[in-house]
């Protein structure tokens, strides 16, 4: 599905207060597709958004994993437009170097196109 196919539809959006990065990512995707969303409802939780879509309140752009694990009668469609990659991270105790952390880092760097020698985040 292309984003332009949902132009003119009502949208159910994640409340910016709870996830500003995710909210801005979605609005940026819609802006890039030249879509001004008519936001019919906002929600603080993904499960609530899915329930609102199930109640015919609008369409939503959500992580596929959230829809796959839902019991609601909704359908997930892949977006075929070029869309930005979402940021993910892993929080571990400072000084911890267990294999799962190194494996996750290697996987993320391999799939993101970042150089393998990218530094760990040094924020406290």
């Amino acid at each position: 599905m292309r984003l332009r196919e949902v132009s003119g539809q009502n949208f159910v959006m994640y409340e910016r207060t709870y996830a500003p990065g995710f909210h801005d990512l979605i609005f940026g995707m819609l802006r890039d597709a030249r879509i001004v969303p008519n936001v019919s409802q906002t929600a603080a939780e993904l499960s609530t958004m899915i329930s609102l879509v199930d109640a015919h309140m609008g369409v939503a752009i959500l992580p596929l994993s959230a829809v796959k694990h839902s019991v609601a009668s909704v359908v997930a469609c892949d977006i075929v437009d070029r869309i930005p990659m979402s940021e993910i991270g892993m929080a571990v105790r400072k000084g911890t170097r267990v294999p799962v952390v190194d494996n996750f880092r290697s996987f993320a760097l391999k799939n993101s196109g970042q150089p393998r020698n990218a530094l760990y985040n040094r924020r406290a």
Side-chain angles (χ1 to χ4, degrees):
M1 175 181 109
R2 296 211 175 269
L3 285 173
R4 68 175 174 255
E5 294 176 47
V6 295
S7 182
Q9 298 289 316
N10 288 335
F11 279 82
V12 175
M13 300 294 286
Y14 204 72
E15 183 66 47
R16 189 175 194 283
T17 305
Y18 300 102
F22 181 66
H23 180 274
D24 294 348
L25 175 77
I26 301 305
F27 266 90
M29 289 168 51
L30 295 172
R31 179 198 63 234
D32 292 348
R34 294 189 169 101
I35 296 172
V36 177
N38 177 36
V39 179
S40 63
Q41 293 284 321
T42 60
E45 296 179 1
L46 295 176
S47 59
T48 304
M49 289 180 65
I50 293 169
S51 294
L52 291 168
V53 170
D54 192 27
H56 305 281
M57 297 303 298
V59 298
I61 299 174
L62 301 169
L64 185 59
S65 60
V67 179
K68 282 184 176 180
H69 299 293
S70 171
V71 295
S73 297
V74 298
V75 176
C77 302
D78 287 331
I79 298 172
V80 296
D81 298 291
R82 189 175 171 145
I83 58 173
M85 186 180 286
S86 181
E87 289 183 311
I88 61 169
M90 177 183 278
V92 296
R93 186 170 181 257
K94 192 172 185 173
T96 300
R97 291 293 299 253
V98 294
V100 70
V101 174
D102 289 331
N103 291 340
F104 175 79
R105 180 178 176 272
S106 295
F107 172 81
L109 290 173
K110 176 182 167 192
N111 290 291
S112 71
Q114 295 291 319
R116 293 193 56 75
N117 62 352
L119 297 175
Y120 280 86
N121 187 342
R122 295 184 182 242
R123 288 188 270 183

